[in-house]
Amino acid sequence: MKPAGFTYHRPVTVDDAVAVLAEVSPAGKVLAGGQSLVPLLNMRLAAPEHLVDINRLSELAYVRAGGDAVTVGALARHADVERDDAAYAVLPLLRDTLRHVAHPTIRNRGTTVGSIAHADPAGELTAVLALLGGTVTLRSAAAERTVTAADFFTGPMSTCADAGELVTSVTFPVPEGRTGAVWTEVARRHGDYAVCGTGTVVTLDDDLRVAGARAAFVSMGPEPVVLDVTDAVAGATHDTADWAAAGRLAAGRLDPEDDIHATADYRTHLAEVLTTRALRDAARRAAEVAP
Ligand SMILES: Cc1cc2nc3c(=O)[nH]c(=O)nc-3n(C[C@H](O)[C@H](O)[C@H](O)COP(=O)(O)OP(=O)(O)OC[C@H]3O[C@@H](n4cnc5c(N)ncnc54)[C@H](O)[C@@H]3O)c2cc1C
């Protein structure tokens, strides 16, 4: 099929882009890498009257890595983030996770911000942003605002962004202290959306005892689910902690649905196994961090 007709806009500055979005709102849609939107247009599952192509907004083509956060502009491709050595040095979880996102050709074009704006409940970066307590910055013609990931994701493919707003960047905080983070998932083929995916962050104290343990999931609910499972392992040393108990605790709190890819029971089983494994690996990484 071919897309329904639309008017195509190609602004060259962010100011122009938000001005066009304001003018055509609510009939406009942002076009970033097009890896999700173009198939939707072709299948006529989306039929916006106006497309606002942001691929010339070079001012948003950046990855900025600092000691406490990595900020990704709306025109940074997944591959830019994946290959950014400074981002990897402070937050290896980003590269580790991006290697599970689709295939290299899609990552060369698809944007990390687009993936978050798209809010697919199977999109890995949504869970990573939620796990780290990240933020999303939005610009309209009238104002700029920054919202937490918890407030941004409001349901499957649904966010708090208004039709006239452009997501200009997302910020992934670097976890503080002696912390390790891991992404793991099961997909039918590498690069497919995960049947179940989990990211974990474990924080150890100076005696290598567990001070915090969190896990976030994709494909286990309508939006990224973040669970604190510290209770199951608090105070135990990283190598003796009952990570299986933490995995069970997480699985017991999840409520996935059946679909054509997997039953809810199978997903819950995967969540328990993957969470146990990922927490243990994250704790091992945390123990290797210099005090
Ligand atoms: C075969 C295939 C496999 C894939 N597998 C995975 C996978 O395993 N995991 C995964 O996470 N993703 C996967 N993807 C999706 C991929 O990651 C996309 O790049 C991503 O979902 C959307 O990014 P994009 O830049 O292409 O956005 P687009 O397709 O251009 O836009 C997607 C949506 O987000 C909106 N949007 C985009 N940018 C902005 C912005 N700056 N401000 C406001 N709204 C915006 C658009 O209006 C649209 O509604 C896959 C895609 C394909 C084709």
Side-chain angles (χ1 to χ4, degrees):
M1 281 176 71
K2 300 279 185 223
F6 54 82
T7 304
Y8 177 68
H9 306 264
R10 195 166 58 181
V12 292
T13 66
V14 173
D15 287 345
D16 289 347
V18 292
V20 177
L21 281 170
E23 197 182 308
V24 302
S25 177
K29 246 200 173 314
V30 172
L31 173 68
Q35 298 303 299
S36 298
L37 183 55
V38 170
L40 293 175
L41 296 175
N42 285 342
M43 289 184 279
R44 298 203 178 192
L45 293 171
E49 289 170 31
H50 297 266
L51 270 192
V52 183
D53 183 342
I54 62 166
N55 283 277
R56 290 201 172 179
L57 306 187
S58 51
E59 63 197 285
L60 298 182
Y62 63 82
V63 180
R64 291 186 189 134
D68 55 358
V70 176
T71 297
V72 177
L75 206 55
R77 314 290 170 182
H78 288 313
D80 297 328
V81 183
E82 182 186 347
R83 291 179 195 145
D84 193 287
D85 289 335
Y88 182 69
V90 294
L91 194 53
L93 181 64
L94 280 179
R95 182 181 291 175
D96 294 348
T97 307
L98 278 161
R99 289 191 168 154
H100 294 272
V101 173
H103 310 286
T105 44
I106 291 161
R107 299 202 293 270
N108 283 340
R109 191 72 194 161
T111 63
T112 294
V113 166
S115 165
I116 282 158
H118 190 50
D120 189 321
E124 285 87 348
L125 275 310
T126 63
V128 169
L129 191 73
L131 176 69
L132 299 176
T135 55
V136 178
T137 299
L138 305 108
R139 272 265 311 265
S140 69
E144 180 176 272
R145 63 181 175 133
T146 296
V147 299
T148 62
D151 288 337
F152 184 70
F153 300 113
T154 54
M157 314 283 191
S158 167
T159 72
C160 72
D162 294 328
E165 284 183 310
L166 176 70
V167 179
T168 50
S169 66
V170 296
T171 296
F172 299 89
V174 174
E176 289 176 7
R178 183 174 269 182
T179 303
V182 164
W183 180 269
T184 184
E185 68 178 50
V186 167
R188 290 175 71 85
R189 295 167 302 191
H190 186 83
D192 279 4
Y193 283 102
V195 175
C196 172
T198 180
T200 57
V201 173
V202 172
T203 307
L204 302 177
D205 66 16
D206 291 343
D207 300 322
L208 299 185
R209 292 181 184 278
V210 180
R214 290 197 314 281
F217 300 85
V218 290
S219 304
M220 296 299 288
E223 56 206 58
V225 185
V226 183
L227 299 175
D228 190 319
V229 292
T230 311
D231 282 354
V233 281
T237 55
H238 76 96
D239 47 354
T240 60
D242 188 353
W243 297 112
R248 279 194 301 279
L249 179 65
R253 291 187 190 162
L254 293 163
D255 187 21
E257 292 188 351
D258 296 327
D259 66 16
I260 56 166
H261 302 295
T263 62
D265 283 350
Y266 178 55
R267 285 203 155 93
T268 305
H269 168 72
L270 285 179
E272 183 178 331
V273 173
L274 294 179
T275 307
T276 302
R277 200 179 290 165
L279 285 168
R280 185 179 291 124
D281 290 348
R284 199 174 296 134
R285 284 190 187 182
E288 288 164 4
V289 173

